Amino acid sequence: MRRFAGALGQCRGLRQRTAGFAATAANTYDFVVVGGGAAGAVVAARLSEDPGAKVLLLEAGPKPPPDASVPVACGGLQQTAVDWARRGPGGGIGQKLKDGMMNLPSGKMLGGSTSINYMAYVRGDPGDFDAWAAGGAEGWTWKEVLPYFRKSESLISDAAPEAAVDKEAHGFGGPYSVSFRNPQRDDVSAFVRAAQEQGYKAADYNSSARAELDAAGRGVVSPHQFSIKANGRRESSYTAFLEPHMGKRPNLHVQEHARASRVLLDGQKAVGVEYVEEVGLGETKQVYARHEVVVSCGSYASAGLLLRSGLGPKDELADDGVDCQDTSAFDEYLKTGRGLAATGLYEASAFYSSGLKPSNPSAQDGQISFCCCTSLPSLWSMNFGIKDFTEDNWNFEKMFHESQPSGMLLFTFNRPESSGEVRLAGKDVHVQHNYLTHEADAAMYVATCKEGIKFLDQPSLKGFGDLEVLIPKALSERFGTDLQSDALWEAWIRSYAQTIYHPVATCALNTVVDSECRVFQVDGLRVADASIMPDALSGNTQAACIMIGEKAADMIARQYGRLLGKRSCITCTGVWEFMLDVETCASKIRIYTGQDGRCKGDALVTFANAASVQLAVKFLHEYEIRPGCRICVQQADFEEVEKKSAKLSKEELKELATTRKPDADRAKYIAAKNVLKEAVSWSGEMDDGTGRRIVILKHLFSPEEAEKEGAEFYTELAQEVQEECDKIGQVLRVTPIEQHLQGIVCVKFKLSSEAEECIRVMDGRYFGGRTVEAH
Ligand SMILES: Cc1cc2nc3c(=O)[nH]c(=O)nc-3n(C[C@H](O)[C@H](O)[C@H](O)COP(=O)(O)OP(=O)(O)OC[C@H]3O[C@@H](n4cnc5c(N)ncnc54)[C@H](O)[C@@H]3O)c2cc1C
């Protein structure tokens, strides 16, 4: 009975499924998450908390280098291999850029931009999220997102000198460490006091207090909360969410150096992802998602990946040579905060509303921050690419004087009206920010600068030292030195302002994705990262991205939780693994019948793990198994049964022993135990202690077929499998597990490399009309 389809070497083409896709058990996952940054790492980690969910995370970069863990080294990571190192025109700013192009860094490594960022942990104004919801993003009000902020966070609150902490607003048991600088620097304390003297309220900027503004638009001030661990090392979404589980959680697969090139679509359904290996030969590979693909590549690249997959404006995509599905007409747009960028850690912020934003006058568009200026001139020059960054223009002696205190006020314009765009370019995207191209923006930004510079007149900062504002000579010569001059500030902004790295809204809620982050008009595809924010935040973005990851994972788990359970029941893996009967290898499920032989409606299901029992009760109790029929699930109580069961007498036990055939029974018992071990192991691997030498081939027969073919069936099957496997390596034993519902045959090789090759060759082949799974 030669039933393998084709000879070895030809059989791989037979894996083709519908629409030309080549999904096999080995390259198919429940969920494929693309991008392991702020949001993607959270999505992958949370989804894989369910051991029944097989999750693949594709990340274009590697693990972060050691420097990434050192907070002050963050600037030095830009323009290296772990930065996408994109560049783009400034639009209405950046007149003094060397070649008119601004650096647009973003992390290309696990942790994404949380591995390269400046670590300020700022959530935004509660009004930002309420506005998202008012705009149609149901479920995204401040009240509704706060639990997700709290879920991820672990605030180290005893390290909060002089900072107000609203404990209600924070999480203390989540994976993401948030801390304060301790001890606080004197200049930072002086800045916070000066802000208070100017009318700002010292309060926790990550709490509801952030929403309060006085009549002059002044809100709260506080030293920064940072994503820094208790040991002083950077916390990133990699260190918090992935590192603790990688290699330990067998259902979480992380593929580094894997740059997704497109989402694979079968009609209007996302079925997988094509990626290119960024190392070695640069092979192109495909992976498949049984349930969903989640795109979390950040604002620039998520938009790029959708566009490259043919999801976007049809005409534009045709110009870019992309074959477009005729399903959608997404408008992609991009908004971002900007400011005079900091090189040292920026230490404290006060939040301000200029009242000038046409679309929302109460928006907190200004963020006034204090930075300690400890960086090297070379870093400024490298990261900001300013052409007149010369000693003569900037007075380096005073800026970088080691023994004299110096600081920097950083004015961030958080809520612009102008928007930019992302277009495909080569393997990546071209980004055009169009900063300050909307007529209202310059006035808003100037207002924030003028408000912030007044801090220097407050007693606390005045008394702090003999402060001098260093104005670049190129400006003072043309516009004078009056710091209340709008012309001077606008020229300063247009010459030297740069991005502050918070691009958002390229795949916005209600524009490209619905309130559950699902891409409109495509099944099985979500986006979860900064790109879904409908508008720029009144603050930094990492905290909100992590919140988005938490919320998206929760939405997905709610949608598929029960599905995963059901699937796992059938395959006997994951949380729902059944105990198998070692005699029959069938799942231990007992349906009770009455004396008349009819089902009583009760069943006893025996699981391999106690934890599975709890999960079964949690998920299946009250489950509507078919319309109108809800099942009641509870833990079995054996006390009563034990009381009733009569024990066998010594004579009866002896008689039973004489009927046993110890050797045959023992062999059968061991084989069945192996099956059980394989069925309940997380990865399906069989390891006899010398490396993986035993391969499990599934779906080679059905018990019905075996019965029909007669006594020789299993011997012939073993011979045939042996013949095929002999072509791969030295086979020591072939053991069909008789009567097994999944048609299992175990093959033992001499070498583990032969076992690996067998898995590679056999997985996905056809055998007797079935697709073989090899583990
Ligand atoms: C220099 C810098 C400083 C910052 N400072 C702060 C700060 O102090 N505080 C703050 O709150 N925020 C800060 N931010 C912003 C914040 O870090 C980001 O907003 C946030 O990390 C964005 O999260 P994300 O999940 O959208 O994308 P990211 O965190 O950027 O993650 C995207 C991931 O997707 C991967 N990826 C992209 N394309 C592909 C592809 N095709 N295939 C596979 N993988 C892909 C990337 O390599 C990356 O790992 C800063 C950002 C930068 C760049």
Side-chain angles (χ1 to χ4, degrees):
M1 55 171 178
R2 297 198 58 86
R3 295 184 300 180
F4 275 104
L8 290 178
Q10 295 168 8
C11 59
R12 303 194 76 73
L14 294 171
R15 289 176 169 199
Q16 295 292 333
R17 297 268 173 86
T18 52
F21 296 127
T24 68
N27 67 9
T28 303
Y29 301 81
D30 290 305
F31 301 102
V32 177
V33 182
V34 190
V42 180
V43 174
R46 291 297 188 195
L47 290 179
S48 62
E49 280 174 1
D50 172 358
K54 196 175 164 196
V55 179
L56 173 68
L57 173 64
L58 293 175
E59 166 54 48
K63 292 188 189 70
D67 279 6
S69 69
V70 183
V72 290
C74 52
L77 296 169
Q78 289 183 32
Q79 302 290 307
T80 68
V82 290
D83 174 11
W84 284 88
R86 297 185 181 96
R87 311 197 74 220
I93 61 169
Q95 289 165 351
K96 298 283 183 176
L97 288 168
K98 274 183 195 142
D99 54 3
M101 299 292 267
M102 197 161 50
N103 289 342
L104 303 171
S106 59
K108 186 180 182 182
M109 59 188 134
L110 287 169
S113 297
T114 65
S115 296
I116 202 175
N117 72 13
Y118 291 91
M119 293 154 286
Y121 183 83
V122 182
R123 292 171 178 170
D125 169 16
D128 295 343
F129 303 97
D130 291 343
W132 295 6
E138 210 180 305
W140 292 87
T141 62
W142 168 248
K143 214 172 138 200
E144 286 163 308
V145 299
L146 185 57
Y148 294 101
F149 278 116
R150 280 200 296 244
K151 183 177 182 188
S152 56
E153 185 188 10
S154 193
L155 181 72
I156 306 163
S157 64
D158 53 359
E162 301 174 48
V165 173
D166 175 354
K167 290 203 170 172
E168 286 294 294
H170 290 277
F172 296 89
Y176 208 63
S177 304
V178 176
S179 63
F180 291 84
R181 184 194 268 273
N182 191 7
Q184 193 55 271
R185 289 169 58 104
D186 290 348
D187 46 5
V188 178
S189 304
F191 170 86
V192 173
R193 282 200 307 277
Q196 286 174 262
E197 286 153 7
Q198 193 154 308
Y200 291 81
K201 188 172 151 195
D204 185 342
Y205 62 50
N206 279 331
S207 72
S208 303
R210 172 69 205 278
E212 292 159 26
L213 291 174
D214 72 7
R218 292 171 181 142
V220 302
V221 62
S222 170
H224 275 170
Q225 298 168 25
F226 290 108
S227 46
I228 294 182
K229 296 190 269 196
N231 64 4
R233 300 271 160 173
R234 170 196 292 274
E235 186 74 284
S236 69
S237 62
Y238 164 68
T239 55
F241 289 91
L242 294 174
E243 198 179 22
H245 308 298
M246 280 167 64
K248 294 186 191 129
R249 207 179 260 178
N251 59 323
L252 172 63
H253 306 257
V254 179
Q255 186 73 48
E256 296 166 41
H257 301 289
R259 179 174 50 79
S261 45
R262 68 184 169 116
V263 176
L264 299 171
L265 296 162
D266 189 357
Q268 314 234 146
K269 170 145 177 54
V271 294
V273 177
E274 182 177 270
Y275 69 90
V276 180
E277 287 182 330
E278 295 262 281
V279 285
L281 298 175
E283 265 187 78
T284 299
K285 296 193 167 165
Q286 300 188 331
V287 284
Y288 298 88
R290 266 184 217 107
H291 298 312
E292 290 207 4
V293 172
V294 183
V295 174
S296 300
C297 298
S299 289
Y300 301 139
S302 283
L305 188 58
L306 294 196
L307 292 170
R308 205 172 292 285
S309 309
L311 301 169
K314 198 170 171 35
D315 294 346
E316 223 173 85
L317 287 172
D319 288 350
D320 290 328
V322 177
D323 183 15
C324 185
Q325 300 268 321
D326 199 10
T327 55
S328 50
F330 301 126
D331 254 355
E332 90 283 9
Y333 63 99
L334 183 142
K335 291 188 179 168
T336 181
R338 74 217 52 176
L340 298 166
T343 54
L345 284 183
Y346 63 126
E347 303 279 346
S349 282
F351 295 92
Y352 172 69
S353 169
S354 68
L356 298 174
K357 186 172 167 69
S359 60
N360 180 2
S362 61
Q364 298 187 26
D365 48 303
Q367 182 171 345
I368 299 160
S369 308
F370 179 80
C371 314
C372 43
C373 224
T374 50
S375 303
L376 299 168
S378 58
L379 267 185
W380 277 67
S381 160
M382 185 173 83
N383 289 350
F384 303 140
I386 296 169
K387 65 182 165 203
D388 62 4
F389 197 67
T390 57
E391 169 122 35
D392 177 46
N393 194 30
W394 286 82
N395 197 342
F396 286 174
E397 206 191 319
K398 287 190 174 164
M399 274 175 88
F400 302 111
H401 202 290
E402 283 190 7
S403 59
Q404 235 179 310
S406 65
M408 182 166 74
L409 289 179
L410 173 79
F411 304 138
T412 305
F413 174 38
N414 278 328
R415 303 295 307 277
E417 292 283 350
S418 45
S419 59
E421 62 182 59
V422 173
R423 288 199 65 151
L424 294 178
K427 285 193 291 187
D428 197 24
V429 287
H430 169 76
V431 182
Q432 173 101 25
H433 272 277
N434 299 333
Y435 285 122
L436 256 66
T437 49
H438 190 284
E439 57 191 12
D441 283 356
M444 279 192 268
Y445 200 172
V446 166
T448 294
C449 298
K450 285 167 71 178
E451 166 71 8
I453 211 73
K454 284 190 211 149
F455 284 29
L456 301 182
D457 297 330
Q458 300 304 330
S460 290
L461 277 179
K462 257 195 166 352
F464 191 73
D466 195 10
L467 295 177
E468 182 185 355
V469 177
L470 302 177
I471 304 172
K473 214 161 148 191
L475 296 178
S476 58
E477 281 177 357
R478 279 190 66 200
F479 299 96
T481 55
D482 176 7
L483 292 170
Q484 283 310 304
S485 155
D486 288 3
L488 171 62
W489 280 115
E490 185 166 342
W492 198 331
I493 291 164
R494 291 201 184 275
S495 301
Y496 300 113
Q498 298 226 353
T499 179
I500 198 142
Y501 327 118
H502 301 152
V504 298
T506 52
C507 308
L509 286 162
N510 264 349
T511 306
V512 174
V513 296
D514 68 11
S515 299
E516 299 261 313
C517 306
R518 292 175 294 222
V519 176
F520 285 121
Q521 300 169 34
V522 184
D523 288 337
L525 183 62
R526 279 183 223 239
V527 182
D529 58 18
S531 71
I532 68 153
M533 298 186 199
D535 204 347
L537 280 182
S538 309
N540 310 55
T541 37
Q542 66 162 338
C545 291
I546 291 169
M547 174 277 286
I548 288 168
E550 292 278 17
K551 193 160 161 61
D554 201 35
M555 288 164 174
I556 296 168
R558 259 190 281 125
Q559 182 169 337
Y560 292 95
R562 211 159 256 162
L563 242 183
L564 291 176
K566 275 202 271 174
R567 180 185 66 77
S568 300
C569 277
I570 293 159
T571 59
C572 293
T573 59
V575 275
W576 300 93
E577 74 274 330
F578 293 119
M579 184 63 93
L580 301 186
D581 186 308
V582 291
E583 291 286 326
T584 64
C585 285
S587 306
K588 273 196 181 176
I589 300 178
R590 186 168 164 194
I591 311 259
Y592 291 106
T593 49
Q595 286 188 338
D596 58 359
R598 294 173 62 160
C599 293
K600 287 161 83 179
D602 294 338
L604 175 73
V605 181
T606 310
F607 291 95
N609 280 327
S612 302
V613 176
Q614 306 304 328
L615 281 166
V617 173
K618 187 171 164 199
F619 286 110
L620 297 180
H621 182 57
E622 294 278 287
Y623 177 54
E624 194 167 14
I625 199 161
R626 47 176 193 275
C629 174
R630 284 185 187 278
I631 54 172
C632 161
V633 179
Q634 61 188 50
Q635 187 159 354
D637 179 359
F638 291 105
E639 267 185 25
E640 283 300 302
V641 180
E642 270 173 20
K643 270 187 225 156
K644 282 184 210 158
S645 67
K647 290 198 176 139
L648 292 176
S649 66
K650 273 189 188 167
E651 286 66 37
E652 283 167 324
L653 284 170
K654 267 189 196 161
E655 198 187 322
L656 194 65
T658 57
T659 62
R660 295 243 159 101
K661 296 181 226 100
D663 286 348
D665 282 356
R666 175 95 195 125
K668 204 168 162 191
Y669 177 81
I670 288 173
K673 270 285 182 202
N674 276 341
V675 177
L676 178 60
K677 187 177 161 198
E678 189 276 339
V680 302
S681 73
W682 297 122
S683 57
E685 285 179 5
M686 289 284 284
D687 188 341
D688 63 357
T690 55
R692 180 167 63 179
R693 295 193 293 152
I694 301 173
V695 175
I696 302 288
L697 299 173
K698 281 187 182 172
H699 313 308
L700 294 195
F701 64 91
S702 70
E704 297 77 38
E705 186 186 4
E707 203 178 323
K708 204 168 128 205
E709 298 238 354
E712 296 304 305
F713 176 82
Y714 290 110
T715 317
E716 284 181 17
L717 176 69
Q719 277 168 1
E720 188 181 0
V721 172
Q722 168 111 30
E723 269 173 40
E724 285 298 312
C725 292
D726 279 344
K727 296 172 190 166
I728 298 167
Q730 192 175 341
V731 178
L732 298 182
R733 196 167 56 240
V734 175
T735 318
I737 307 296
E738 298 187 13
Q739 298 295 319
H740 196 284
L741 295 175
Q742 293 181 350
I744 286 180
V745 176
C746 305
V747 184
K748 183 167 186 178
F749 285 89
K750 181 138 196 274
L751 301 174
S752 59
S753 57
E754 293 163 340
E756 294 293 343
E757 179 61 7
C758 176
I759 291 170
R760 195 185 68 74
V761 169
M762 293 293 192
D763 191 41
R765 288 185 66 185
Y766 282 110
F767 185 76
R770 298 184 196 87
T771 307
V772 177
E773 265 182 49
H775 299 281

